[in-house]
Amino acid sequence: MHELHLSALPAGIEFEGYRLLGVLGAGGFGVTYLAEETALSRASPRRVAIKEFLPTSVAARVSGSREVRSLRKQDRETYRQLLDRFLREAETLARFDHPNIVPVPRYFERHGTAYIVMKFVGGESLGAVLRRRERLSEAELRWFLSGLMDGLAEVHARNFLHRDVKPDNILLGPDGRAMLVDFGAARLAAAEASALTRTAVISEGYAPYEQY
């Protein structure tokens, strides 16, 4: 489980049929939670990952509540544009049915923001593996790389761009399959719709030249 994020909702909160168990990860554009479906048997509840949209440059959680609001009046339009972009991203992801793209069964608006519900896949990111081992063998790379490229081709075939393909956004499941996660449409929208600099959407060493 990830260390506590100051803006994260606390574990135990329930809404829309889910109970939050903790934080899986967090960044400048949102928080991802581990959750379980409350409608299923408590003996074997199904776990999911839920991504909450929370762009800290233009919005924050209202103290003592679950609600998210723009920081200033002049940020309202920017926040709404970013939220709409996030929802369009969710709509696109929900249409994918590919073994190398994390499934998105549902998305919804709540608490003044929006959430993407994803299948919870155990394992760790390629970035975490590389930080521990520094490099992988050619055989290990070949094991998952072709499937990952197939998934990326599926994304491009639908006229959608990930925009942030890097080891930390490649999840290696228990079966060794690589899955694309954390699509970057909302990050690019932030740079286009607000005063944020382009560096906000650059992953040093992985972003294409034209993104610089």
Side-chain angles (χ1 to χ4, degrees):
M1 203 72 67
H2 197 275
E3 62 188 37
L4 182 64
H5 187 272
L6 292 178
S7 297
L9 292 168
I13 280 183
E14 297 185 17
F15 59 93
E16 294 290 329
Y18 302 100
R19 179 185 300 109
L20 302 187
L21 301 177
V23 175
L24 289 173
F29 287 86
V31 182
T32 301
Y33 304 92
L34 176 64
E36 61 184 10
E37 296 183 340
T38 57
L40 299 179
S41 169
R42 290 184 180 270
S44 57
R46 184 166 55 193
R47 290 189 167 188
V48 297
I50 300 179
K51 182 177 179 181
E52 178 185 46
F53 184 58
L54 183 53
T56 54
S57 61
V58 295
R61 196 177 310 283
V62 177
S63 179
S65 81
R66 305 180 185 185
E67 299 298 308
V68 174
R69 295 286 184 268
S70 57
L71 292 172
R72 301 166 298 178
K73 288 183 179 180
Q74 56 266 42
D75 293 327
R76 287 177 182 172
E77 182 59 29
T78 296
Y79 177 59
R80 186 66 241 183
Q81 290 177 10
L82 296 179
L83 184 58
D84 288 344
R85 185 66 175 266
F86 182 81
L87 287 166
R88 290 200 299 273
E89 173 189 345
E91 182 181 13
T92 300
L93 293 177
R95 292 199 296 265
F96 288 130
D97 182 14
H98 192 280
N100 298 98
I101 300 174
V102 174
V104 173
R106 187 185 176 197
Y107 59 94
F108 55 87
E109 289 190 68
R110 189 74 183 269
H111 306 146
T113 184
Y115 299 83
I116 297 178
V117 180
M118 299 167 285
K119 178 182 178 180
F120 175 69
V121 180
E124 59 184 337
S125 71
L126 176 59
V129 172
L130 291 175
R131 283 189 288 274
R132 188 176 68 250
R133 294 181 49 190
E134 294 188 2
R135 66 179 64 190
L136 300 179
S137 68
E138 179 181 344
E140 289 173 309
L141 289 172
R142 287 181 179 275
W143 176 257
F144 67 80
L145 196 57
S146 62
L148 186 67
M149 294 298 99
D150 286 345
L152 198 57
E154 174 71 12
V155 172
H156 293 170
R158 293 176 178 266
N159 296 318
F160 194 70
L161 298 177
H162 185 289
R163 296 191 176 102
D164 199 18
V165 177
K166 59 183 179 182
D168 282 337
N169 287 339
I170 297 171
L171 181 64
L172 299 180
D175 59 358
R177 179 176 45 172
M179 306 183 81
L180 283 168
V181 298
D182 200 11
F183 283 64
R187 280 182 295 277
L188 185 60
E192 293 172 343
S194 73
L196 294 177
T197 65
R198 288 278 174 185
T199 57
V201 296
I202 295 297
S203 292
E204 189 71 32
Y206 299 102
Y209 288 120
E210 63 269 21
Q211 218 165 328
Y212 289 85

